Amino acid sequence: MKCLRFCQYLILMIGVIFAITACQLNSKHQSLESAPSTPPRLDDCRVISHAQGETEICGQPERIAVLGPFVLEPLIALGIQPVAFADQVAWHQGDYDQPSQQIPYLGEYITNSLTNVGLAYQPSIETLIKVQPDLILGADFNNTEQYEVLSEIAPTLLLKWDETETNVTTIAKAAGHPEKARPLIAEMKRKIETVKADFLPFVEDHSNILLLSSSQLSEIYLGNTAHGLCSSLLVDLGFNLVAPEGVRENQAGMPVPISLETLTQVKDADAIILLGSNLNELATPDSLREQQLAGLKQAWADNAIAQSLDASKAERVYFIPAYLCLGLPGPIGTELYLEELKKQLLSNPQS
C-alpha cells in the first residue's frame, strides 16, 4: 500500500511507521469556484522536467492542488497559495478552513481555506475533479502509480523528496514565477551561513556528532546520508558525522538500523542528536512536537547503555522532532531546524 511505501522511504528513516495504513478519510469536501474561463495564452507554454518525465504547462496556474507537505512547503515558501491539499497523515478531516490549526508547521503560512483532497499517497480523484485544478504537485514516492490518472485531471509534476533547490526552481517555473526561485534559495543559504558563524565555537570544541533516529529506542537508525536535510544541514554547519566502527551507510540510500549496544563502539562522538519520531498514535497538529518525543527522553534516561556513553555523561544528548527536517526538507524546514539546533546546542550550559 502507498502508506507502507512511504513509511519504507521516509518514516523508516526516523524509526517509526505511520499508523495510517487502515485509515480512510471520510472528509466533507466543499466545492470551490470553477477555474477562470479565460484560456491560457498558447505562446506562454514551457516544458517542465520532473521525476516522472516532462510536462507542458501553459499560462500561470491559479488553482494548484498539492499532495503532501514536502511539496506544499516550497510552494508557500515561494509565496504561492494552493487551493487544495492532501496531508501525509489524517490529522484533520474536512476542509482546511482554519489551516493554522489544522496543518502542522505550515498552516500559519496559508492565507485561504483549502479543499481537503484526502491523503497524499491516496488522494480522492473525485474531489480533485471537483476542485478543477490547473496544476497538481505530488511526490515520486507517493504518486507514481497514480500519475496517469492525475495527469488526466491537470498537468502533474512529481518531485523528489529532498532535492530542495531543484524543487523550488521547478515549482517556481511551473507556477509561472521563475524569478522567485533564486532569491529564496539565496536567502536560505544566507541563513545557514549566518547560523554557521554562531555555531563556530561549539563546532571547534565538539565537532563529532552521532546522529540517530528513533521512536522509543525500540528501533534505532543511523542518521547520516539517508536522512536528507537532517544530516546535510549539520555538515553545512561544520559538523563531522560519526558512526559505529564497521557500520556503513546502505548503498541503496535506506537508513541503517543499529542496536543500542553498538553505540558503545562509538568512541569519538562529542555529542548525540536523537531525532524523535513517535507517530504511532495519531496526534493533533498542535501536539505534534510533544508526540514525536513522547517517552524517548525518559527511555534514554532510564537505559544503562545510553547513560554509559560519553555524550550522555557530558550532557550533550539532544532530542529534536524528526518532522522538522524529514517532513519539511525545504526552506521553511531549514529555518525551523536551524532554530531548534541553535536553541538546544547553544543554550546548553555543558556546550
Side-chain angles (χ1 to χ4, degrees), residues 66-74 85-89 103-104 106 120 323 327-329:
V66 182
L67 309 181
F70 329 99
V71 282
L72 176 63
E73 180 193 12
F85 175 59
D87 211 335
Q88 195 69 39
V89 182
I103 302 176
L106 301 178
Y323 197 94
L328 307 174

Side-chain angles (χ1 to χ4, degrees), residues 97-127:
D97 52 358
Q98 295 181 307
S100 63
Q101 301 175 32
Q102 299 159 343
I103 302 176
Y105 297 110
L106 301 178
E108 63 181 284
Y109 301 95
I110 305 297
T111 60
N112 54 276
S113 178
L114 305 180
T115 298
N116 188 334
V117 291
L119 292 169
Y121 58 87
Q122 196 175 41
S124 169
I125 301 302
E126 179 182 359
T127 307

Side-chain angles (χ1 to χ4, degrees), residues 2-129:
K2 285 291 181 182
C3 178
L4 181 58
R5 289 187 58 203
F6 169 76
C7 296
Q8 291 173 335
Y9 183 87
L10 178 59
I11 295 305
L12 236 185
M13 299 178 184
I14 55 178
V16 66
I17 298 177
F18 280 140
I20 53 176
T21 52
C23 293
Q24 296 289 336
L25 284 178
N26 293 316
S27 303
K28 180 182 178 182
H29 302 288
Q30 68 180 42
S31 298
L32 298 182
E33 294 180 359
S34 59
S37 58
T38 303
R41 287 175 26 224
L42 294 181
D43 61 342
D44 185 20
C45 296
R46 60 269 183 205
V47 175
I48 309 295
S49 298
H50 57 103
Q52 202 62 21
E54 294 183 336
T55 296
E56 184 178 55
I57 298 176
C58 296
Q60 190 174 85
E62 297 181 358
R63 300 181 60 79
I64 303 175
V66 182
L67 309 181
F70 329 99
V71 282
L72 176 63
E73 180 193 12
L75 181 72
I76 59 178
L78 287 163
I80 303 169
Q81 296 290 320
V83 298
F85 175 59
D87 211 335
Q88 195 69 39
V89 182
W91 307 110
H92 173 71
Q93 294 192 6
D95 290 334
Y96 297 100
D97 52 358
Q98 295 181 307
S100 63
Q101 301 175 32
Q102 299 159 343
I103 302 176
Y105 297 110
L106 301 178
E108 63 181 284
Y109 301 95
I110 305 297
T111 60
N112 54 276
S113 178
L114 305 180
T115 298
N116 188 334
V117 291
L119 292 169
Y121 58 87
Q122 196 175 41
S124 169
I125 301 302
E126 179 182 359
T127 307
L128 277 171
I129 292 174

Side-chain angles (χ1 to χ4, degrees), residues 90-202:
W91 307 110
H92 173 71
Q93 294 192 6
D95 290 334
Y96 297 100
D97 52 358
Q98 295 181 307
S100 63
Q101 301 175 32
Q102 299 159 343
I103 302 176
Y105 297 110
L106 301 178
E108 63 181 284
Y109 301 95
I110 305 297
T111 60
N112 54 276
S113 178
L114 305 180
T115 298
N116 188 334
V117 291
L119 292 169
Y121 58 87
Q122 196 175 41
S124 169
I125 301 302
E126 179 182 359
T127 307
L128 277 171
I129 292 174
K130 291 179 180 179
V131 168
Q132 295 184 315
D134 45 21
L135 176 63
I136 298 174
L137 300 175
D140 62 339
F141 61 89
N142 268 338
N143 309 116
T144 298
E145 293 181 5
Q146 305 146 354
Y147 177 71
E148 291 187 9
V149 174
L150 294 173
S151 295
E152 292 178 0
I153 300 173
T156 299
L157 307 180
L158 300 190
L159 307 175
K160 293 185 180 296
W161 163 59
D162 62 344
E163 294 186 354
T164 300
E165 292 187 24
T166 298
N167 291 345
V168 167
T169 302
T170 299
I171 291 175
K173 184 177 178 181
H177 297 284
E179 75 285 352
K180 292 187 175 185
R182 184 174 294 180
L184 178 59
I185 294 171
E187 176 64 12
M188 183 174 64
K189 291 181 177 180
R190 186 196 65 78
K191 288 179 179 178
I192 293 174
E193 286 301 313
T194 299
V195 174
K196 183 177 181 178
D198 295 334
F199 271 90
L200 186 58
F202 187 100

